[in-house]
Amino acid sequence: MKFLIKSATIVDPNSSFNGQVKDILIDKGQIVQIDSEIEAKGAELYDATGQFVSPGWMDMHANFGDPGLETKEDINSGCAAAAAGGFTAVAVMPNTNPPLHSKSEIEYLKNRAKGQAVDVFPIGSLSVKREGVDIAELYDMTQSGAVAFSDGNKPVQNAGLMMRSLQYALAFNGLVISYAEDASIAEKAKVNEGVTSTYLGMKGIPNMAEELMVARDIFLAEYTGGKIHFTTVSTAGSVELIRAARKKGLQVTADVAAHHLLLDDSVLMGFDSNYKVKPPLRSQHDIKALKAGLKEGVIDAVVSQHTPHEIEFKDQEFETSAFGISSLETTYAVFNMACEKVLALEEMVDALAISPREILNLEIPVVDLNKKANITIFDPDHKWTLASENIRSKSKNTPFIGKELKGKAFAIFNNGQLKIN
């Protein structure tokens, strides 16, 4: 099957056609021609006039429910949500039941995801059952397709386990992902510690709970020589610590969730549980530092932190409701609205498509001749409103329903499949 994309502006720093308005002809999943005016009889036509084409985006922090929690999100619904958000690839956290803690679960997930337009890459559990006690089968999981290792939304409290994991992963160039939180400081608090928590009369999670763990894991990475990636960093102090580590030449990378770039903790005044996330929404001071970190390259990637929940987990008192936003479909718009005056379009594409794959040591798609067609078609200026009935995810725990958003992915092409939103 042939596909012809007409009049698209190519945004890809690795492409010889970067910045040019071109037609793109795809045949059998390969880009076979890029030119100003292409005629291709029998080709399926997509008119991309006024739209942009970039390498397919990759989300390196999403939560699906398969295996065991499919009522939250299964592979089909998760991939549909990812495609609707403009992603051609997702790396899924091991927050499942059972966790992705051995080669059996990794192989199961890889097999379940075959044939999708969205590539699914499992992140293996760092510890057995994500209990933070014994190191899981890291090498075996790598052989089966795991791209990194993390205990997901369970921070590793045991410094010895983290140190030994970093040392062990060195043997096969494995990547350890740290969700940084000192649980003894965060305790059972639900919101950021600050003016808003005081006003609401709620115990807050101080920035220090994250920063202590970032500092610890940087020390461990320096000691072991291992690679560590910090996911969903949320504080100014964390940015500063990572900046200093990178200046020292350590193998440290980081990502930030899109909602942490747009929303501060003042939105919690209405006790809307759809804004309840972890790390919690922070202050405007932190948001400014996160944006500066992205601009400088201290923070490499932007992620969705897609965390779908059934309605009964969110439709309850704020204090007892679950953490997380169902966010794959709104990540680009939220990121675009937060950073459109901070980052150039190429820098946004880098954070969405290129850096995540560099961190995970995956092949980076290029919009160029004789390359596999793995692309996202989008418009940063398109305004739209998220409607509940249009959400592809099984879960609708998002604060953006009914809100006007700016920036939308209109289609993806990957694995020989065109998915139009």
Side-chain angles (χ1 to χ4, degrees), residues 107-358:
E107 289 170 0
Y108 163 82
L109 195 67
K110 292 288 288 184
N111 286 328
R112 288 280 292 139
K114 284 180 178 177
Q116 297 283 350
V118 176
D119 300 317
V120 178
F121 296 96
I123 295 172
S125 178
L126 195 66
S127 66
V128 176
K129 297 180 181 178
R130 296 199 303 138
E131 291 176 345
V133 178
D134 299 313
I135 298 176
E137 304 169 356
L138 306 189
Y139 180 72
D140 284 353
M141 286 191 284
T142 297
Q143 295 296 99
S144 296
V147 293
F149 305 98
S150 171
D151 273 353
N153 60 2
K154 288 187 176 181
V156 177
Q157 302 300 303
N158 186 324
L161 173 68
M162 179 61 82
M163 180 188 74
R164 289 186 289 274
S165 298
L166 286 164
Q167 289 173 323
Y168 181 32
L170 264 176
F172 50 90
N173 197 32
L175 176 68
V176 173
I177 297 177
S178 171
Y179 166 57
E181 181 188 83
D182 188 312
S184 67
I185 291 176
E187 293 188 303
K188 295 182 180 180
K190 313 296 182 183
V191 299
N192 177 52
E193 181 182 85
V195 173
T196 299
S197 66
T198 303
Y199 184 85
L200 296 175
M202 300 177 72
K203 178 177 171 55
I205 302 174
N207 288 16
M208 179 174 61
E210 177 175 304
E211 293 156 9
L212 275 175
M213 293 296 267
V214 170
R216 183 202 75 175
D217 289 348
I218 286 172
F219 274 120
L220 293 175
E222 183 172 21
Y223 175 77
T224 61
K227 292 194 301 183
I228 195 158
H229 176 80
F230 293 101
T231 190
T232 64
V233 296
S234 67
T235 77
S238 293
V239 175
E240 192 55 47
L241 287 164
I242 295 165
R243 180 184 286 115
R246 293 178 74 131
K247 284 181 179 177
K248 291 175 74 172
L250 303 183
Q251 296 186 85
V252 176
T253 53
D255 68 55
V256 59
H259 45 262
H260 283 119
L261 295 168
L262 182 68
L263 305 171
D264 65 34
D265 57 0
S266 66
V267 299
L268 300 176
M269 288 298 187
F271 290 101
D272 184 347
S273 63
N274 284 317
Y275 288 110
K276 184 180 178 182
V277 293
K278 205 170 191 186
L281 299 176
R282 301 288 188 181
S283 68
Q284 281 294 331
H285 171 70
D286 295 306
I287 289 175
K288 184 178 179 181
L290 292 168
K291 291 179 181 179
L294 261 177
K295 183 69 176 177
E296 295 172 40
V298 173
I299 297 174
D300 305 86
V302 172
V303 300
S304 72
Q305 200 188 16
H306 178 68
T307 309
H309 289 297
E310 303 92 330
I311 189 170
E312 59 267 27
F313 285 85
K314 277 292 192 177
D315 191 14
Q316 53 181 276
E317 293 293 326
F318 187 92
E319 191 75 19
T320 57
S321 63
F323 291 101
I325 295 175
S326 177
S327 51
L328 269 168
E329 295 165 68
T330 55
T331 294
Y332 172 62
V334 171
F335 174 33
N336 182 57
M337 291 189 295
C339 294
E340 62 178 337
K341 295 180 181 178
V342 178
L343 301 177
L345 205 53
E346 271 191 31
E347 292 171 317
M348 287 189 176
V349 167
D350 182 85
L352 286 169
I354 299 172
S355 285
R357 290 182 173 91
E358 287 178 339

Side-chain angles (χ1 to χ4, degrees), residues 3-5 10 22-26 31 33 38 53 367:
F3 299 87
L4 179 59
I5 299 167
I10 297 171
K22 296 291 182 181
D23 294 354
I24 302 170
L25 181 62
I26 300 168
I31 298 174
Q33 188 178 355
I38 299 174
V53 168
V367 186

